[in-house]
Amino acid sequence: MATAEQAPTGPEETPVEPAALQRHFDETIARDQRIEPRDWMPEGYRRTLVRQIAQHAHSEVIGMQPEGDWITRAPSLRRKAILFAKVQDEAGHGLYLYSAAETLGVDRADLTERLVDGRQKYSSIFNYPTPTYADVGTIGWFVDGAAICNQVPLCRSSYGPYARAMVRICKEESFHQRQGYELLLTMMRGTGDQRRMVQESVDRWWWPSLMMFGPPDDDSPNSERSMAWKIKRHSNDELRQRFVDMTVPQAERLGVTLPDPELRWNEERGRYDFGTPDFSELQRVIGGEGPCNEERVARRRKAHQDGAWVREAAAAHAAKQTSDRAARQEAAA
Amino acid sequence: MNDERISLALGEEGPDDARWAFGTGFEDPLHGVATAVPAGVDSARLAACCAALADDALVTAQRLAEWCTDAPELEEELALANIGLDLLGQARLLYSRAGQVDGTGRDEDAFAYFRGAADFRNVRLAELPRGDFAFDMVRLLVLSAWRLALFERLACAADPVLAAVAAKGVKELAYHRQFAAEWVVRLGDGTEESRERTARALVEVLPWTAELAHDGASAPFGADGGEVWEALSDVLRRTADAAGLSLPAPAKAPAGTGRSGEHTEHLAPLVGELQSVAREHPEARW
């Protein structure tokens, strides 16, 4: 899941390119047409995309951890199958996205190294813990719901491979959101303990979910350029508002309270008013001080290191196969 | 297409939904298959066979789920989850059948969540703790080749439900066996380290196959133990040849069998973890 909070930081100067190429690029963007891997593109555009797509891919892969831990403990076989399939989908999203990034001339193995040594980030939401099974439902409802708000506009992103990957990913996220909400609905019809578990989980996840849209617009220095390039289509605050407007009626139907005393319908605007998230918490979590930052990266690093001998063996076997084939062809010639 | 229309299209329920997760639908998984037990079929034996095959699948799926986020590469992450999901789907259908024919009317979750570890009848190879990737690929090769040989025969079982589950499972298991065999070959042939690890895995796994050779649970339904054993042995020989490994002479088989409820010390913690949330909230709805 891509979140605006991960929008690349730091200015990158676009090198001077031949004017005709630049003009063609600008016209393509202006006409709302897609940039494809073989097209010329400004270096800044390429780097911005690599960073955004890689961070999105990393988020999918790290995002497997908080829910994946519940697969062995899911409380019914149907829930186990749903959760197992969902976490598998996230691995699949990671694969599509790494592939989309590779069309920009980077290598998946290198991006993974950047993740495990902390040079590249992933969505902060996955640095929060999942202490109860209700969190599986809440993540589906809020986190996948927020991801959909962020990602549906990316289906129209100017870079073709990213936009196409997003179409498929959004379909799956939408399915996950419905499954999460359905789990919570079922739990709300269960015992008092289950209803309390759902409310407690909603209380914990609401504000971090709102922060998934990134800092407020007046504090989001990189948004403007991404919007000019049509990599990004809507501002952080607009997407956050959409998420709130979508979620409040769902919360009412579910019978839970969203933990925001300022939340109320604004007749004049035709939208909900809501309180301001504690963005200093977002900065702390992005800065590595979230409840689970170290644990998440350490686990990914360990899996990567533990798997090194397997990847080496596969590469060695493939190389032997290639040289055997070459030797046979030579002998036959 | 504007955002709203994309959102609407995404929200539509379509035929696509079925492909997300085998067995996650809301319909009765045995829909459309005649469920009466045919004359001449021993219900008690049928229930025992279905429950034992379901236990093998559930316990194996549980071990595969432990690999989640730990696989050596994303492609393997997807494949191991796929295999786990297939087995989970098989377990659910088989538990349902067992509960239907044993006279108790228990559903799949009653079998999975509300029996003690001592009531599980899985073979013990399935319950051994997760090892390194070589161990788990050798184990998966043995279990999937064995189960495939069983299911190919059970597809002709006199019970229509067991036959239907087996026929569906054959396609899945052929892929599981292929996946595991390819890895055993890669690892056996790959590097010195991977070769050593795979050779060691064979030494550790093979003694537990004696239990498979003596399993009679599926025999009344057309899966002759001798034939199944021969099919499994043949797969192991050919895979070891292709991997450039020699099959070690199996050490003495550990006493007892999982089919008679004699398990290793590793099953109880696995079952405890599996059942922890369900047992903590016995009145809950999920």
Side-chain angles (χ1 to χ4, degrees):
Chain A
M1 332 164 328
T3 62
E5 89 200 24
Q6 306 159 346
T9 52
E12 285 164 9
E13 292 305 318
T14 306
V16 181
E17 301 288 348
L21 289 170
Q22 180 73 49
R23 196 165 55 244
H24 180 73
F25 173 84
D26 292 342
E27 284 166 5
T28 307
I29 298 281
R31 283 198 305 266
D32 258 345
Q33 287 176 342
R34 296 261 166 88
I35 304 296
E36 295 297 339
R38 287 181 194 171
D39 295 342
W40 181 89
M41 62 188 82
E43 183 54 21
Y45 176 86
R46 194 189 70 84
R47 268 188 288 167
T48 299
L49 274 168
V50 166
R51 210 175 318 182
Q52 180 170 334
I53 299 173
Q55 287 175 358
H56 189 166
H58 298 332
S59 300
E60 297 286 356
V61 172
I62 295 286
M64 296 167 68
Q65 290 183 25
E67 289 181 280
D69 275 349
W70 285 99
I71 296 172
T72 56
R73 294 173 289 163
S76 75
L77 293 184
R78 176 171 164 268
R79 291 292 172 200
K80 191 191 282 286
I82 289 172
L83 182 58
F84 212 165
K86 179 191 172 178
V87 175
Q88 182 194 35
D89 281 348
E90 286 166 358
H93 297 174
L95 265 184
Y96 312 149
L97 288 163
Y98 284 126
S99 302
E102 286 186 330
T103 64
L104 292 158
V106 292
D107 178 53
R108 195 210 307 179
D110 179 53
L111 297 176
T112 302
E113 291 297 336
R114 286 166 189 262
L115 169 66
V116 300
D117 68 18
R119 278 178 293 157
Q120 281 185 338
K121 299 215 180 289
Y122 54 87
S123 175
S124 296
I125 195 76
F126 300 118
N127 290 319
Y128 290 87
T130 46
T132 76
Y133 202 77
D135 293 337
V136 169
T138 311
I139 288 178
W141 179 31
F142 284 171
V143 176
D144 295 323
I148 292 165
C149 288
N150 267 325
Q151 291 170 6
V152 161
L154 296 178
C155 297
R156 297 189 293 130
S157 168
S158 59
Y159 187 58
Y162 191 32
R164 287 187 289 274
M166 290 320 305
V167 171
R168 177 146 183 204
I169 290 173
C170 281
K171 281 191 181 196
E172 297 186 355
E173 298 289 9
S174 166
F175 194 71
H176 298 162
Q177 192 202 14
R178 278 183 281 153
Q179 286 175 326
Y181 189 69
E182 189 263 337
L183 168 62
L184 298 181
L185 268 180
T186 308
M187 290 181 71
M188 290 301 284
R189 293 183 196 131
T191 63
D193 271 355
Q194 284 185 292
R195 281 189 288 278
R196 278 188 291 279
M197 208 191 287
V198 173
Q199 181 64 57
E200 185 273 333
S201 175
V202 163
D203 289 346
R204 273 186 291 111
W205 287 96
W206 175 248
W207 292 109
S209 300
L210 288 189
M211 292 179 210
M212 285 175 66
F213 298 94
D217 291 348
D218 52 18
D219 189 24
S220 182
N222 306 295
S223 288
E224 199 181 331
R225 196 184 48 172
S226 282
M227 285 175 72
W229 275 336
K230 297 185 183 173
I231 293 173
K232 184 174 167 152
R233 295 276 182 165
H234 303 284
S235 78
N236 296 353
D237 288 335
E238 167 58 21
L239 291 168
R240 195 169 5 250
Q241 177 76 57
R242 283 189 188 190
F243 174 72
V244 172
D245 291 342
M246 176 180 91
T247 307
V248 174
Q250 295 168 344
E252 285 165 1
R253 186 173 157 226
L254 192 58
V256 295
T257 309
L258 298 173
D260 178 359
E262 295 175 49
L263 186 67
R264 63 181 56 84
W265 177 250
N266 183 324
E267 193 67 58
E268 205 175 306
R269 292 201 306 131
R271 312 190 86 167
Y272 285 92
D273 290 339
F274 57 99
T276 307
D278 175 6
F279 287 110
S280 65
E281 176 178 319
L282 176 63
Q283 292 312 322
R284 282 197 302 279
V285 180
I286 291 178
E289 292 170 45
C292 305
N293 295 53
E294 282 181 28
E295 178 188 330
R296 300 282 188 245
V297 175
R299 182 152 155 194
R300 181 74 194 94
R301 189 185 304 121
K302 182 172 187 313
H304 187 64
Q305 287 167 352
D306 288 352
W309 71 269
V310 178
R311 295 189 297 273
E312 282 160 19
H317 172 70
K320 286 184 203 175
Q321 296 287 101
T322 310
S323 64
D324 284 358
R325 239 191 330 269
R328 278 198 302 275
Q329 278 166 356
E330 204 171 303
Chain B
M1 206 190 275
N2 66 27
D3 292 353
E4 283 68 29
R5 285 178 56 200
I6 293 172
S7 288
L8 279 176
L10 292 172
E12 279 168 12
E13 305 260 357
D16 258 11
D17 286 355
R19 76 187 175 83
W20 298 120
F22 172 69
T24 58
F26 296 88
E27 287 141 29
D28 176 3
L30 300 174
H31 181 75
V33 177
T35 54
V37 179
V41 170
D42 180 329
S43 292
R45 285 183 162 192
L46 176 58
C49 171
C50 289
L53 291 171
D55 286 344
D56 289 341
L58 177 59
V59 170
T60 305
Q62 193 75 358
R63 289 293 183 220
L64 288 170
E66 292 175 9
W67 275 97
C68 182
T69 74
D70 282 355
E73 195 57 284
L74 270 178
E75 284 81 352
E76 277 52 59
E77 200 72 69
L78 283 162
L80 295 173
N82 227 349
I83 295 169
L85 278 164
D86 285 342
L87 291 171
L88 196 50
Q90 293 174 11
R92 296 179 65 193
L93 296 169
L94 289 163
Y95 282 138
S96 299
R97 185 55 170 166
Q100 239 170 18
V101 301
D102 72 358
T104 62
R106 282 178 291 176
D107 66 8
E108 59 184 40
D109 289 335
F111 279 91
Y113 293 95
F114 296 96
R115 286 182 305 157
D119 295 326
F120 277 66
R121 290 292 179 268
N122 58 282
V123 295
R124 291 172 299 174
L125 178 56
E127 77 203 31
L128 298 181
R130 195 185 112 184
D132 65 6
F133 193 69
F135 176 88
D136 275 63
M137 287 304 100
V138 170
R139 164 161 61 181
L140 183 63
L141 174 66
V142 169
L143 288 176
S144 57
W146 178 58
R147 194 170 176 87
L148 177 58
L150 285 171
F151 274 37
E152 280 169 346
R153 290 160 180 83
L154 293 174
C156 304
D159 177 56
V161 176
L162 177 57
V165 173
K168 182 180 193 310
V170 162
K171 293 175 211 139
E172 296 165 349
L173 292 160
Y175 161 69
H176 306 175
R177 188 183 72 174
Q178 174 82 8
F179 174 81
E182 283 174 2
W183 268 111
V184 170
V185 170
R186 271 184 212 117
L187 297 177
D189 180 58
T191 62
E192 200 173 321
E193 180 181 5
S194 68
R195 182 182 183 76
E196 274 171 26
R197 285 176 183 259
T198 313
R200 188 162 60 235
L202 283 167
V203 170
E204 287 167 356
V205 165
L206 288 184
W208 299 95
T209 59
E211 189 177 342
L212 314 185
H214 298 118
D215 172 39
S218 306
F221 305 98
D224 175 74
E227 274 179 38
V228 168
W229 176 250
E230 198 37 59
L232 168 62
S233 305
D234 182 51
V235 169
L236 293 181
R237 269 194 304 272
R238 283 189 289 129
T239 310
D241 274 355
L245 293 163
S246 51
L247 287 177
K252 192 175 175 314
T257 68
R259 286 282 192 259
S260 53
E262 297 156 286
H263 290 286
T264 67
E265 65 198 3
H266 308 296
L267 182 65
L270 178 147
V271 170
E273 183 178 349
L274 168 83
Q275 298 177 338
S276 54
V277 179
R279 295 253 182 149
E280 194 183 335
H281 304 278
E283 305 298 321
R285 297 171 56 165
W286 304 101

